[in-house]
Amino acid sequence: MIKAGIIGATGYAGGELVRILANHREVGIVWYGSRSYIDKKYYQVYQNMFRIVEDVCKDDNLAELAEQVDVIFTATPQGFLAGLLTEEILSKVKIVDLSADYRIKDVNVYEKWYGIEHKSPQFIAEAVYGLCEVNRSQITAQTRLVANPGCYTTCSILTAYPLVKEGVIDVDTLIVDAKSGTSGAGRGAKVPNLFCEVNENIKAYGVASHRHTPEIEEQLSYAGNCEVVINFTPHLVPMNRGILVTEYAKLKRNIDGTLLSWEEIRAVYDKYYADERFVRVLDKGICPETKWVEGSNYVDINFVIDERTGRVIMMGALDNLVKGAAGQAVQNMNLLFGLPEDEGLELVPCFP
C-alpha cells in the first residue's frame, strides 16, 4: 500500500484529493495536513466525509511528513513548497505539487508574474511538468518532483496542443477566452467571491495579467518549437466548478489557398488523443459543456472552422478541481508508481 500525505487537505483541491484517494485501491492517506484545523477531525471540516474519514488534521511539517509517506501532495499557495523543499526531503519522498512553484522553467518569469521570490530555484530544472497527455514519458519511477499543471492551463493547452504541434494554426493570432467556476479561487473567504458578489454576475479578471498566462505560453512554445505569445482572458461565472475555454486562431492555408477541411483537422486531434483515456474529442457539431465533465477527470474538446474569417474556433471543458487539480495529481502519482493511469479515476461525470 502506498502511503500518501496531503498538505492543504482542507482546501477545495485537497478535499477533492481525499475524495478520489478514498476509492483508490493502492493508496492510503496517513496525513491530512491543515494549518487551520490542527487536531480537528477531518469530517468535521468536510461533513460529506462523516463515517468515511475519522483521522484528525495535522500540521504542515513537510520534513516530518517525508519520513512517514511515499508521496506528498502539496495543495498549497504559491511559495509554500519552494520555501521548504530541500534535497534531504526529496531524497526520501516523491512530491506532486499542485501550486505553480515548479511549473515555469524560467525563475525570472515566475517571480515577475507571481510577485514573490522563489526560494528553491535549484529544483526547477528537475521538476517534470505533469501534463500526462504530453509529458507521460518523463513521469517515471525515477521522477521525484512533479509540477501539477493549473486548471486554466490544462484546459487551454490540451485544447490547442495538437494544432500548435502540427503547425496548423498561426500561433501569433491565438486568443484564449476562459471561464471558471468560483471554486477555482479557493476556499478562503474573499469579498469578491461572496454569493451576492458572484450570483447573477459574470466578470473578467486578471485581464492581460493573469498568472497562468506564461505557463500556457511556455508549454505551447515547446509544442510549436517557437515563441508563443497569447491573449488570455479569464472570467468568473456563478457556478461551483468547471472551466470552459474558447480559443481562436487563424488557420494556415494549403498551397492552393484553401483551408484545411473538418476531416483533416479532426485527424490532427485524433493523432494525439484517439487513445487518450481522459481526453474526449466530441462528435462534429457538438460543443463541450462543463456539466458533461463535472466530477470527472475528463477533458472534452471540439472545434469549428469559420470559413468566413479563416479561423478555427477550439473549445475545451474540464472540472477545475479534478482534471484541473486533484484528478490530474492522482494521474501523475499513478505514473510515478507504475500503476494503471486511470486507477482511482474511473469517475463518471455527474449529471445534471
Side-chain angles (χ1 to χ4, degrees), residues 48-59:
N48 61 315
M49 289 297 167
F50 180 61
R51 296 182 65 178
I52 297 173
V53 178
E54 294 291 332
D55 300 75
V56 299
C57 296
K58 302 179 182 179
D59 61 21

Side-chain angles (χ1 to χ4, degrees), residues 12 45 50 75 96 112 136 151-152 183 278 293 328 331 344:
Y12 285 140
V45 180
F50 180 61
V96 180
K112 173 185 175 182
R136 180 177 290 111
C151 49
Y152 276 131
S183 60
F278 295 116
V293 293
Q328 185 148 252
Q331 195 177 348

Side-chain angles (χ1 to χ4, degrees), residues 127 136 138-139 183 223 262 270 313:
R136 180 177 290 111
Q138 300 177 44
I139 308 166
S183 60
W262 184 91
D270 286 344
I313 301 165

Side-chain angles (χ1 to χ4, degrees), residues 48-89:
N48 61 315
M49 289 297 167
F50 180 61
R51 296 182 65 178
I52 297 173
V53 178
E54 294 291 332
D55 300 75
V56 299
C57 296
K58 302 179 182 179
D59 61 21
D60 53 13
N61 189 325
L62 194 68
E64 182 181 348
L65 176 55
E67 300 281 355
Q68 300 185 28
V69 298
D70 304 299
V71 61
I72 297 173
F73 296 95
T74 47
T76 52
Q78 275 61 243
F80 174 86
L81 182 60
L84 295 175
L85 191 59
T86 64
E87 177 60 34
E88 183 179 4
I89 290 173

Side-chain angles (χ1 to χ4, degrees), residues 22 72 81-82 126 132 159 178 211 256 266 279 282 293-294 321 349:
I72 297 173
L81 182 60
E126 174 181 351
C132 304
T159 298
R211 57 195 186 182
D256 62 3
R266 176 58 190 250
V279 180
L282 303 180
V293 293
E294 185 172 338
L321 294 179

Side-chain angles (χ1 to χ4, degrees), residues 16-129:
E16 201 72 350
L17 274 168
V18 174
R19 182 180 76 91
I20 292 170
L21 292 176
N23 291 308
H24 198 294
R25 290 174 292 186
E26 303 294 336
V27 177
I29 304 173
V30 300
W31 187 295
Y32 297 80
S34 175
R35 184 178 298 175
S36 301
Y37 298 99
I38 297 172
D39 294 332
K40 192 167 188 174
K41 288 200 170 185
Y42 189 78
Y43 75 77
Q44 293 176 315
V45 180
Y46 282 114
Q47 194 66 29
N48 61 315
M49 289 297 167
F50 180 61
R51 296 182 65 178
I52 297 173
V53 178
E54 294 291 332
D55 300 75
V56 299
C57 296
K58 302 179 182 179
D59 61 21
D60 53 13
N61 189 325
L62 194 68
E64 182 181 348
L65 176 55
E67 300 281 355
Q68 300 185 28
V69 298
D70 304 299
V71 61
I72 297 173
F73 296 95
T74 47
T76 52
Q78 275 61 243
F80 174 86
L81 182 60
L84 295 175
L85 191 59
T86 64
E87 177 60 34
E88 183 179 4
I89 290 173
L90 266 184
S91 69
K92 298 175 181 176
V93 69
K94 295 181 184 297
I95 296 178
V96 180
D97 180 31
L98 279 71
S99 83
D101 283 356
Y102 300 98
R103 294 176 190 160
I104 298 171
K105 292 303 181 184
D106 187 333
V107 68
N108 295 317
V109 172
Y110 170 88
E111 292 181 345
K112 173 185 175 182
W113 285 81
Y114 284 87
I116 57 176
E117 179 187 356
H118 201 295
K119 299 294 187 181
S120 54
Q122 67 271 26
F123 299 116
I124 293 177
E126 174 181 351
V128 176
Y129 189 74

Side-chain angles (χ1 to χ4, degrees), residues 302-316:
N302 215 342
F303 65 93
V304 171
I305 300 170
D306 187 343
E307 298 276 356
R308 186 178 65 86
T309 63
R311 288 180 174 270
V312 61
I313 301 165
M314 302 156 277
M315 298 156 284

